[in-house]
Amino acid sequence: AFAKAWMGGGKQVMGIINVTPDSFFSGSRCSGEANIRARVSEIIEEGGTMVDVGAYSTRPDADEVSAEEELSRLSAALPVVIGQLEALGCRDVTSGRYVAVSVDTFRADVAKTCIESLGADIINDVSGGMLDEKMLDVVAETRAPYILMHMRGTPKTMQTLTDYPDGVTNAVIDFFA
């Protein structure tokens, strides 16, 4: 029901909420329930059709965050995000007004918990399944829509891996192929 209500609407606009203190874009950082609720409302007011929640910064030279810390941050934030969407009437599959929630993680176990227990709808994986060999199994098992991204290295090293002898476009096409 979610996929039909959400995917049938044409263009999608993703609003970002990062529950990490060191995210690349300071405007996406949120801490505390009131700030998270306010950001969700802002995303909806601006025409957002999905809310992406991340708890591990992929900014250049970002520090490692443990899976436990990432999941702890998401476990605190996702119920607030979903609660605010419900309060705004944006989680009603039957009416067609359904704002999807994606979880921004490259860790399979974190993604699985967020989909199965915390109410997330979509997995947004910056690593394209390359940093956790179980990720694609989790996608298949949960049947969650999956945003497949391209990244070289890890969040800590990706900014040092920017040499593309055949061009970035060709490298990305080869990766997805």
Side-chain angles (χ1 to χ4, degrees):
F2 147 72
K4 184 176 181 184
W6 182 72
M7 299 293 279
K11 72 175 169 78
Q12 303 298 324
V13 177
M14 177 187 281
I16 308 296
I17 295 177
N18 285 309
V19 289
T20 180
D22 61 344
S23 150
F24 180 75
F25 174 57
S26 63
S28 69
R29 295 181 210 145
C30 287
S31 62
E33 290 186 20
N35 290 332
I36 292 171
R37 283 193 299 275
R39 178 67 181 131
V40 169
S41 295
E42 180 181 51
I43 290 168
I44 299 308
E45 289 168 14
E46 293 175 349
T49 58
M50 74 174 94
V51 177
D52 186 64
V53 184
Y56 186 121
S57 178
T58 55
R59 71 169 172 73
D61 201 33
D63 290 330
E64 174 79 16
V65 173
S66 71
E68 294 77 21
E69 177 63 21
E70 181 183 20
L71 187 55
S72 175
R73 291 172 180 177
L74 291 167
S75 295
L78 285 169
V80 177
V81 169
I82 291 168
Q84 183 65 12
L85 289 170
E86 289 171 347
L88 295 170
C90 296
R91 290 289 280 184
D92 185 3
V93 174
T94 59
S95 74
R97 180 67 174 132
Y98 191 92
V99 172
V101 175
S102 63
V103 60
D104 182 352
T105 186
F106 58 82
R107 293 181 168 126
D109 292 340
V110 171
K112 184 174 182 172
T113 299
C114 290
I115 296 294
E116 292 182 347
S117 302
L118 297 174
D121 303 297
I122 300 168
I123 300 167
N124 179 11
D125 178 7
V126 69
S127 82
M130 302 304 288
L131 292 180
D132 189 329
E133 64 185 22
K134 298 183 293 180
M135 180 59 87
L136 299 180
D137 292 334
V138 167
V139 172
E141 180 183 326
T142 63
R143 300 181 53 82
Y146 180 64
I147 300 172
L148 177 78
M149 307 271 289
H150 170 266
M151 176 180 71
R152 292 171 79 190
T154 67
K156 182 87 171 162
T157 64
M158 67 184 186
Q159 293 299 316
T160 65
L161 301 172
T162 58
D163 183 36
Y164 292 92
D166 295 325
V168 68
T169 302
N170 290 331
V172 172
I173 289 170
D174 287 347
F175 171 81
F176 286 118

